[in-house]
Amino acid sequence: MRVDNLSYQKKVEVHWCGEDGEWHVDEAAYRCTLPDETELWYACIRRPLTSQQSLPGNIRYSVSYECAGRTCWDNNHGLDYKVDADAGVIVYRDVPIQHLFYDPVLQGGKVSLSIDSAVRSSLNAKHVRIHWSTDKWKTSHVTRCFKRPNHWDLVRGSVARNPNRYGWEIWTARLPIHHSYRVEYAIESETDQGVVWDNCHGANYQARRSTLRVLTLNLHCYQEDDQEHKFKQIAQAIQDFQIDLVCLQEVAENWNDGHGDWASNAARLINSFLPLPYHLHTDYSHLGFDKFREGVAILSRHEFSSTDSGYVSDSQDVFDIHARRVVMAQIHVPYFGPVNLFSAHLSWPEDGFYAQFDRTRQWADERHDENVTATLICGDFNIKAGSEAYGHIVNSSEYEDQYLKTVNRPAFDQVYNDRVQNIAEAIGHDGRIDYIFLKKGSRVQSLNGVELFTDHSYGRVSDHTGYYVEFELT
């Protein structure tokens, strides 16, 4: 199903019935975003044959899309879509060739990729080939596809024919991608009517290993009502977005005469609500709100190679609110390699930001070598986007604002590439003080960014909203 992305919170369902006339509802799942920014959703419905339950036979179905309090339908103009038993494949679009079962994610450990294509029988295809590359077309390969008469019997246990009565035939190939991070490909068919292509509207199809997903959020030191529910909402978002690395600030635990209280540590509690707990590194900076040890933390889905923490402020007095400690971890992310991550909560510009950022930057630079894939400095910087202090980071020419890059590329280009004098005017009414900064020269690039924990997405869990950015290898 092709779905307009009207909101990050939506529900897509398939309503279907078999020959018994009984209607069923099954949820669809997000598959990928297409080049035109619409989304591809997918539903796979399995009905086992038992002594109490027959197969559904011929089916009819429609699709509902629930979003922002509205429900939209595609029911084929009131006629429903119809598929006969053992139909094989039906392509509803008026195209000569169609890539089938597209999956943009290469599972870890997968060393080959199966490609299936539907070609119109009337074209009398003589050859179907996959043109593909694993290094962004620096080199390329061509793999021949085969038309198997018993395709459906082999892959689905069906007696559907290839070609089928709807005028389509299946051609299949397997690409030896080995342990490549990504593969890009297009499908060519040589027919009686010339050469036809399915190249995803000129963008080519792409499948890659999992992306690197990063979240930063200031927790506001237990100042919200119903704190347990909000911790659970944070854990739910981490689970839903499959976030790899989480940077937290204002991570509180009871002061307990300075000894702390691990049972009340906010990062630990969020971690406890995850189905599979993450690796956790945390440290505190000072007394917060007169009753908490207040600090910063990193949660990682992947194991730490090393961890560290240290004060970047002039003061190291735990009773001084401007005593600021930063935690860092090096994480070996599958297919990415070593990633250095810093979780920071810096002071306001008039209270030490400049020196604190410069010390953090120097520390990060010392830990970044040729073996490190990426260095990220994330957190609450207590500076407004576009301010003079923000310009201090821009002028360092080392770190770039990845959320801005994904959601407002024209402003990013003006600030970081064109180096406009009036940064505030270029950025506009942004309002952020939380950032995900990527060191220039890192071998990753950001794909998209989302502001989480708003009234329209998981609800407010703090006086900050939190920001998520997704990266891929370059």
Side-chain angles (χ1 to χ4, degrees):
M1 292 143 281
R2 188 185 294 262
V3 176
D4 284 339
N5 183 18
L6 303 180
S7 169
Y8 283 94
Q9 289 189 312
K10 50 184 170 285
K11 180 188 291 186
V12 181
E13 294 179 324
V14 178
H15 303 248
W16 67 276
C17 74
E19 294 177 359
D20 61 4
E22 182 180 348
W23 283 90
H24 309 269
V25 180
D26 288 86
E27 281 199 35
Y30 169 82
R31 173 60 63 88
C32 63
T33 298
L34 298 169
D36 62 1
E37 299 303 319
T38 60
E39 295 179 347
L40 187 66
W41 285 62
Y42 177 78
C44 181
I45 300 162
R46 300 184 184 276
R47 299 286 287 182
L49 175 64
T50 68
S51 58
Q52 290 80 31
Q53 177 179 267
S54 63
L55 294 178
N58 301 337
I59 66 168
R60 41 195 288 229
Y61 69 92
S62 60
V63 181
S64 67
Y65 174 28
E66 184 179 330
C67 173
R70 295 174 51 210
T71 301
C72 303
W73 287 84
D74 181 1
N75 57 12
N76 194 22
H77 306 288
L79 301 176
D80 293 328
Y81 292 97
K82 297 178 175 63
V83 181
D84 291 344
D86 288 317
V89 67
I90 304 174
V91 178
Y92 292 103
R93 301 172 64 225
D94 184 19
V95 293
I97 182 172
Q98 175 69 58
H99 180 19
L100 301 174
F101 319 123
Y102 173 47
D103 190 343
V105 178
L106 292 175
Q107 299 301 325
K110 192 172 188 177
V111 296
S112 65
L113 178 64
S114 179
I115 305 291
D116 295 310
S117 308
V119 183
R120 287 194 183 273
S121 306
S122 59
L123 296 177
N124 191 26
K126 297 177 178 62
H127 301 286
V128 178
R129 306 178 184 92
I130 310 297
H131 297 251
W132 58 283
S133 174
T134 59
D135 56 9
K136 294 194 169 182
W137 302 103
K138 294 174 185 174
T139 61
S140 62
H141 314 272
V142 179
T143 297
R144 180 184 174 189
C145 297
F146 294 91
K147 181 175 69 173
R148 298 185 298 190
N150 55 349
H151 172 82
W152 294 108
D153 185 49
L154 290 173
V155 301
R156 292 289 188 269
S158 166
V159 296
R161 292 181 298 279
N162 183 29
N164 65 23
R165 60 185 178 274
Y166 294 99
W168 294 93
E169 54 194 33
I170 304 298
W171 293 70
T172 187
R174 186 172 292 275
L175 311 183
I177 60 173
H178 304 297
H179 293 286
S180 302
Y181 175 73
R182 71 165 58 78
V183 58
E184 298 173 78
Y185 58 94
I187 306 165
E188 172 217 7
S189 178
E190 183 181 331
T191 76
D192 284 346
Q193 299 180 24
V195 175
V196 294
W197 288 83
D198 181 3
N199 58 10
C200 198
H201 306 288
N204 292 329
Y205 289 99
Q206 181 180 135
R208 63 175 173 238
R209 312 293 177 177
S210 181
T211 51
L212 175 65
R213 303 164 188 191
V214 181
L215 169 69
T216 186
L217 173 66
N218 181 312
L219 296 177
H220 200 205
C221 276
Y222 273 105
Q223 298 307 297
E224 272 63 47
D225 297 329
D226 198 2
Q227 196 68 66
E228 180 176 318
H229 169 72
K230 295 185 177 182
F231 286 164
K232 288 180 178 178
Q233 287 297 94
I234 296 168
Q236 187 64 53
I238 293 172
Q239 182 181 352
D240 290 348
F241 279 79
Q242 298 182 321
I243 296 172
D244 296 281
L245 308 176
V246 182
C247 290
L248 300 172
Q249 303 83 46
E250 291 198 32
V251 177
E253 61 180 77
N254 294 327
W255 178 249
N256 190 24
D257 292 328
H259 300 294
D261 172 33
W262 183 240
S264 65
N265 183 278
R268 187 200 72 80
L269 289 170
I270 292 169
N271 202 23
S272 71
F273 294 128
L274 293 170
L276 293 174
Y278 280 32
H279 302 276
L280 170 60
H281 173 46
T282 185
D283 205 346
Y284 84 102
S285 300
H286 54 248
L287 173 66
F289 295 89
D290 296 322
K291 59 180 180 179
F292 298 112
R293 291 213 307 191
E294 179 186 327
V296 284
I298 292 172
L299 288 169
S300 171
R301 178 190 289 188
H302 314 289
E303 287 189 23
F304 298 130
S305 301
S306 63
T307 58
D308 201 355
S309 68
Y311 281 102
V312 295
S313 54
D314 293 334
S315 172
Q316 299 184 17
D317 181 357
V318 296
F319 295 102
D320 179 3
I321 194 173
H322 300 301
R324 301 287 171 146
R325 191 191 292 269
V326 171
V327 297
M328 74 83 59
Q330 183 173 100
I331 304 107
H332 188 87
V333 180
Y335 294 99
F336 282 76
V339 173
N340 286 348
L341 181 66
F342 293 77
S343 181
H345 186 192
L346 306 184
S347 294
W348 297 267
E350 64 273 17
D351 296 308
F353 161 78
Y354 293 95
Q356 292 170 21
F357 173 76
D358 288 344
R359 288 174 184 141
T360 305
R361 182 185 64 187
Q362 181 180 358
W363 180 11
D365 291 347
E366 290 171 353
R367 296 298 297 265
H368 188 97
D369 58 37
E370 62 182 11
N371 297 316
V372 173
T373 302
T375 291
L376 293 155
I377 302 177
C378 310
D380 177 357
F381 287 68
N382 272 313
I383 58 169
K384 288 188 176 181
S387 66
E388 180 183 335
Y390 183 91
H392 180 74
I393 298 177
V394 175
N395 293 332
S396 75
S397 300
E398 284 191 73
Y399 288 86
E400 295 179 337
D401 181 351
Q402 298 303 296
Y403 180 78
L404 180 69
K405 187 174 185 178
T406 60
V407 302
N408 191 348
R409 187 56 187 262
F412 175 88
D413 287 337
Q414 288 184 59
V415 172
Y416 287 92
N417 297 329
D418 301 336
R419 294 302 181 93
V420 295
Q421 293 297 312
N422 193 333
I423 297 176
E425 182 178 333
I427 290 181
H429 301 289
D430 191 309
R432 285 177 301 135
I433 62 173
D434 304 275
Y435 304 96
I436 294 175
F437 286 110
L438 174 68
K439 182 176 175 63
K440 290 181 69 174
S442 295
R443 298 189 297 274
V444 300
Q445 63 185 11
S446 51
L447 296 172
N448 60 73
V450 181
E451 182 181 15
L452 286 180
F453 310 112
T454 66
D455 292 333
H456 306 293
S457 176
Y458 295 99
R460 300 302 297 261
V461 297
S462 167
D463 60 341
H464 294 242
T465 55
Y467 295 91
Y468 160 92
V469 175
E470 184 176 5
F471 298 89
E472 68 171 350
L473 274 177
T474 54

